């Protein structure tokens, strides 16, 4: 079978997305992670002269990678200049990276209205620039900018541009849907024509944007027509609506189309790498993201849970383990004892018949009071642990006090004092915070930090408050949902009370106690190795 290689441009095109910024050292960490995942080409950006880029390329020159090839990125020469005199091309030629990706214009409209370069000069710019880098010993990938618009506008000229790059020695011509306007049928037809037209002289690649919500579909359509390189970004980061999402393309190629882009073991790191990128870029992981999202394999309805337990294929398009995700059985009033038993098994707990019934009763009674365990699996596991007698309290609370003071000058100050007992020893701590929950959180972590230093590193990633009965105004019941992370895993906890501080406290304690419980990991309930499949 034909080989399909993945090309990651998170560090260049992905950084065009809103609010994206990484230091040189962070970018190096990303390169290593993508290398772990088995991504073949990692584009680091333009090796320009600003200090951040210099630091990045200098560091990368020293980094030993398992298999990934680092690429630099640049443009064809300026018009009416010799390629050899173009400073940007000189920098690209002088760099340590073996592969240079060179973007060139393809679309008449772009040439006439924006760059004001004649069609012939544009062809010469492509030819000269590729040849110059080839002479300097570089492998060249040519990005044909706006290729699909160009092809719809004037297929003859679009193909001339592509051929110019191939004739000058580019090993791969990547067709770019730069403004994300194309649909899968259009991409398929144009790609087929280019693959036939180049007749093996160069490989064909695909680079799409998601403006029409078709970036992944367009990438796959191109592969089915003979493209052997797919450019994209992790989690689809990128300008406007983003680039093609490699976190979806990789498993689709591998598990549905049968290409071996990476090893099975590399593929099983997909979820972790996706979340790592989110963490580093300060983005909240999208729970509904296909393959890697927390809800991607979450089952709610009682019938669905029963179906998945019988044969996972009924409601799961791929085996979650293969992409490093896991099945999640959501608890809700819809579901019955089956979910309770499955969730207990997942947590490594053995509930007998009586305990399961009691857990179910407690669950229903609490849901009635406003608890909502679908987004709070950590709290639910603690509930089950209590029923199973497998619950270990982290500490005993003697009491806490929170004071919020507003002064004449408008400043608001909050201070929390907490007294707890751990193994017969009393810890009292005070802390200030920007609000009561923050102060309480800081004081509590400080108090448990001596005995359980690893719990101090857990980060609260999301804090959501919802008023359950709006008619009661300030006297209404408050539900607090808290997401926590230890950098690898995320879990949700919940608190419900008429007092917002009490509700927050409950969710906070659940979050830490969940991390504290000893557990031997078992594969999620209902997992059957024999249901693994590739198509
Ligand atoms: Zn792009």
């Amino acid at each position: 079978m034909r080989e399909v290689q993945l090309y990651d441009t998170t560090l260049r095109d992905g950084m065009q997305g809103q609010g994206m910024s990484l230091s040189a050292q962070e970018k190096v960490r990303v390169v290593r992670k993508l290398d772990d995942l088995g991504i073949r080409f990692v584009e680091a950006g333009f090796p320009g002269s600003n200090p951040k880029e210099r630091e990045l390329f200098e560091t990368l020159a020293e980094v030993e990678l398992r298999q990934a090839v680092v690429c630099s990125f640049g443009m064809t020469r300026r018009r009416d200049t010799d390629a050899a005199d173009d400073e940007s091309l000189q920098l690209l030629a002088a760099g340590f990276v073996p592969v240079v990706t060179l973007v060139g214009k393809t679309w008449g409209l772009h040439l006439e209205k924006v760059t004001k370069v004649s069609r012939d000069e544009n062809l010469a710019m492509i030819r000269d620039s590729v040849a110059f880098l080839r002479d300097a010993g570089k492998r060249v990938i040519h990005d044909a900018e706006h290729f699909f618009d160009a092809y719809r506008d004037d297929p003859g000229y679009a193909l001339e541009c592509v051929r110019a790059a191939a004739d000058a020695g580019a090993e791969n011509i990547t067709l770019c849907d730069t403004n994300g306007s194309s649909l899968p049928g259009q991409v398929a037809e144009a790609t087929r024509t280019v693959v036939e037209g180049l007749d093996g002289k160069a490989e064909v690649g695909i680079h799409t944007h998601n403006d029409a919500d078709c970036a992944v579909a367009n990438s796959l359509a191109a592969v089915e027509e003979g493209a052997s390189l797919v450019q994209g970004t992790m989690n689809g980061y990128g300008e406007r609506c983003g680039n093609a999402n490699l976190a979806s393309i990789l498993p689709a190629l591998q598990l549905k189309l049968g290409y071996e882009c990476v090893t099975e073991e590399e593929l099983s790191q997909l979820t972790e790498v996706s979340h790592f990128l989110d963490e580093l870029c300060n983005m909240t992981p999208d729970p509904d993201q296909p393959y890697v999202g927390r809800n991607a394999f979450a089952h709610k309805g009682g019938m669905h849970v029963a179906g998945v337990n019988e044969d996972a294929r009924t409601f799961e398009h791929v085996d979650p383990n293969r992409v490093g995700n896991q099945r999640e059985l959501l608890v809700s009033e819809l579901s019955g004892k089956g979910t309770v038993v499955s969730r207990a098994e997942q947590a490594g707990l053995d509930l007998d018949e009586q305990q399961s019934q009691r857990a179910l009763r407690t669950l229903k009674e609490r849901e009635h009071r406003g608890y909502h365990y679908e987004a709070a699996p950590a709290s639910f596991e603690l509930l089950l642990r209590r029923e199973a007698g497998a619950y270990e309290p982290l500490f005993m609370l003697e009491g806490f006090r929170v004071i919020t003071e507003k002064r004449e000058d408008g400043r608001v100050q909050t201070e929390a004092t907490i007294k707890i007992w751990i193994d017969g020893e009393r810890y009292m701590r005070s802390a200030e915070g920007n609000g009561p929950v923050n102060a309480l959180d800081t004081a509590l972590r400080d108090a448990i930090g001596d005995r359980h230093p690893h719990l101090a590193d857990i980060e609260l990633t999301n804090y959501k408050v919802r008023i359950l009965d709006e008619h009661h105004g300030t006297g209404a019941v408050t539900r607090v949902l808290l997401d926590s992370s230890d950098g690898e895993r995320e879990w949700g906890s919940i608190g419900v009370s008429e007092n917002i501080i009490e509700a927050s406290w409950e969710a906070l304690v659940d979050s830490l106690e969940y991390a504290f419980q000893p557990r031997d990991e078992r594969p999620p309930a209902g997992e059957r190795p024999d249901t693994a499949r590739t198509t």
Side-chain angles (χ1 to χ4, degrees):
M1 191 171 215
R2 192 159 43 88
E3 223 190 318
V4 173
Q5 302 188 324
L6 295 179
Y7 179 112
D8 179 278
T9 178
T10 301
L11 297 181
R12 201 257 317 163
D13 231 5
M15 288 296 120
Q16 305 300 315
Q18 286 288 329
M20 299 289 281
S21 167
L22 292 176
S23 70
Q25 290 311 315
E26 286 171 328
K27 286 185 175 181
V28 173
R29 288 175 69 191
V30 172
V31 173
R32 286 186 183 281
K33 272 284 179 202
L34 294 170
D35 184 41
D36 289 344
L37 184 60
I39 302 293
R40 197 61 59 87
F41 297 100
V42 179
E43 192 183 275
F46 177 70
S49 45
N50 84 46
K52 191 163 153 183
E53 282 155 356
R54 220 168 32 218
E55 186 191 345
L56 172 62
F57 277 88
E58 273 167 14
T59 315
L60 283 176
E62 305 297 320
V63 169
E64 249 180 72
L65 297 173
R66 240 164 23 93
Q67 49 77 41
V69 175
V70 177
C71 314
S72 56
F73 178 88
M75 278 191 286
T76 50
R77 69 161 170 79
R78 281 175 288 126
R79 65 175 157 181
D80 311 320
T81 320
D82 257 0
D85 295 332
D86 187 292
E87 289 116 32
S88 299
L89 284 179
Q90 286 169 355
L91 273 172
L92 292 167
F96 82 95
V97 303
V99 178
V100 177
T101 299
L102 206 60
V103 62
K105 312 277 177 264
T106 322
W107 189 10
L109 175 103
H110 196 206
L111 289 170
E112 283 143 33
K113 297 238 165 110
V114 184
T115 58
K116 318 250 193 262
V117 167
S118 77
R119 294 186 173 215
D120 284 345
E121 170 65 358
N122 183 55
L123 290 173
M125 283 159 64
I126 295 172
R127 219 179 287 121
D128 295 352
S129 308
V130 173
F132 172 76
L133 290 172
R134 291 293 293 143
D135 284 346
K138 301 297 183 194
R139 296 165 58 190
V140 177
I141 294 172
H142 179 73
D143 271 10
E145 195 177 3
H146 286 120
F147 177 81
F148 296 96
D149 294 286
Y151 182 82
R152 289 193 287 270
D153 177 44
D154 182 349
Y157 184 71
L159 290 172
E160 266 189 82
C161 292
V162 161
R163 243 182 245 119
D167 288 344
E171 68 178 40
N172 178 290
I173 312 293
T174 289
L175 311 177
C176 302
D177 189 27
T178 306
N179 56 25
S181 61
S182 303
L183 300 177
Q186 297 170 313
V187 169
E189 197 237 312
T191 306
R192 192 184 318 135
T193 310
V194 174
V195 169
E196 280 167 11
L198 287 175
D199 199 22
K201 183 141 205 177
E203 298 278 312
V204 172
I206 181 77
H207 173 121
T208 64
H209 281 259
N210 204 34
D211 300 69
D213 210 7
C214 288
V216 170
N218 285 344
S219 304
L220 298 175
V223 168
E224 292 192 286
E225 295 297 341
S228 57
L229 180 81
V230 182
Q231 298 191 2
T233 62
M234 262 298 161
N235 301 326
Y237 303 140
E239 208 171 347
R240 304 185 308 272
C241 312
N243 283 57
N245 182 359
L246 287 183
S248 291
I249 291 170
L250 170 56
L253 289 174
Q254 189 115 349
L255 301 180
K256 292 172 188 278
L257 293 173
Y259 293 101
E260 234 183 84
C261 305
V262 302
T263 66
E264 280 287 293
E265 199 189 324
E266 288 164 340
L267 182 62
S268 72
Q269 297 178 45
L270 182 67
T271 300
E272 193 216 314
V273 175
S274 158
H275 293 174
F276 168 82
L277 260 294
D278 274 336
E279 293 279 345
L280 207 61
C281 298
N282 224 355
M283 313 277 275
T284 309
D286 174 6
D288 297 336
Q289 190 174 331
Y291 297 100
V292 298
R294 194 164 70 183
N295 296 340
F297 301 96
H299 306 284
K300 180 172 177 178
M303 286 293 284
H304 289 193
V305 172
V308 165
N309 280 337
E310 218 40 65
D311 188 326
R313 283 174 298 186
T314 47
F315 295 99
E316 284 177 4
H317 69 134
V318 298
D319 176 350
N321 287 316
R322 297 186 74 187
V323 291
N325 206 338
Q326 56 182 15
R327 174 171 308 143
E328 184 107 26
L329 300 173
L330 297 177
V331 188
S332 85
E333 287 169 281
L334 286 173
S335 60
K337 211 179 71 197
T339 312
V340 169
V341 171
S342 296
R343 279 295 273 275
E345 270 177 40
Q346 270 186 19
L349 303 169
D350 292 314
L351 290 185
D352 63 26
E353 177 63 28
Q354 228 183 356
Q355 290 168 326
S356 310
Q357 290 292 0
R358 224 169 37 220
L360 192 61
R361 258 202 317 275
T362 310
L363 169 67
K364 299 224 172 217
E365 179 260 326
R366 297 194 129 220
E367 283 187 331
H368 184 69
R369 277 164 47 200
Y371 286 82
H372 192 83
Y373 287 100
E374 281 155 16
S379 293
F380 186 59
E381 186 186 310
L382 291 170
L383 183 154
L384 293 177
R385 281 180 177 276
R386 287 191 180 95
E387 297 300 345
Y391 161 74
E392 281 189 37
L394 178 57
F395 60 87
M396 295 291 293
L397 177 71
E398 184 185 312
F400 68 69
R401 188 173 58 206
V402 183
I403 300 166
T404 298
E405 181 186 15
K406 188 172 169 88
R407 301 226 179 109
E408 201 179 356
D409 62 5
R411 287 209 347 239
V412 179
Q413 277 194 321
T414 302
E415 196 186 294
T417 300
I418 184 164
K419 295 169 201 161
I420 59 171
W421 293 80
I422 303 177
D423 299 335
E425 233 173 285
R426 185 170 187 258
Y427 294 84
M428 183 172 103
R429 293 285 191 283
S430 292
E432 290 178 334
N434 58 22
V437 180
N438 179 241
L440 205 49
D441 178 31
T442 311
L444 175 60
R445 279 156 194 274
D446 193 18
I448 60 173
D450 285 356
R451 301 298 279 265
H452 306 292
H454 68 287
L455 296 181
D457 291 336
I458 289 165
E459 235 186 285
L460 304 184
T461 55
N462 206 354
Y463 172 75
K464 250 184 306 188
V465 176
R466 183 127 157 234
I467 306 300
L468 292 183
D469 189 348
E470 283 152 40
H471 301 298
H472 288 96
T474 53
V477 171
T478 305
R479 174 161 74 207
V480 167
L481 283 173
L482 210 59
D483 289 335
S484 310
S485 166
D486 60 5
E488 265 170 45
R489 303 203 311 166
E490 262 214 5
W491 59 93
S493 56
I494 187 171
V496 173
S497 169
E498 282 172 13
N499 182 316
I500 186 172
I501 294 174
E502 169 60 16
S504 305
W505 166 259
E506 193 186 352
L508 186 65
V509 172
D510 270 11
S511 154
L512 295 173
E513 287 205 316
Y514 173 77
F516 169 70
Q517 300 304 313
R519 50 170 66 80
D520 62 334
E521 298 287 344
R522 287 193 202 180
E527 212 74 89
R528 284 141 209 244
D530 57 329
T531 60
R533 63 217 167 267
T534 51
T535 52

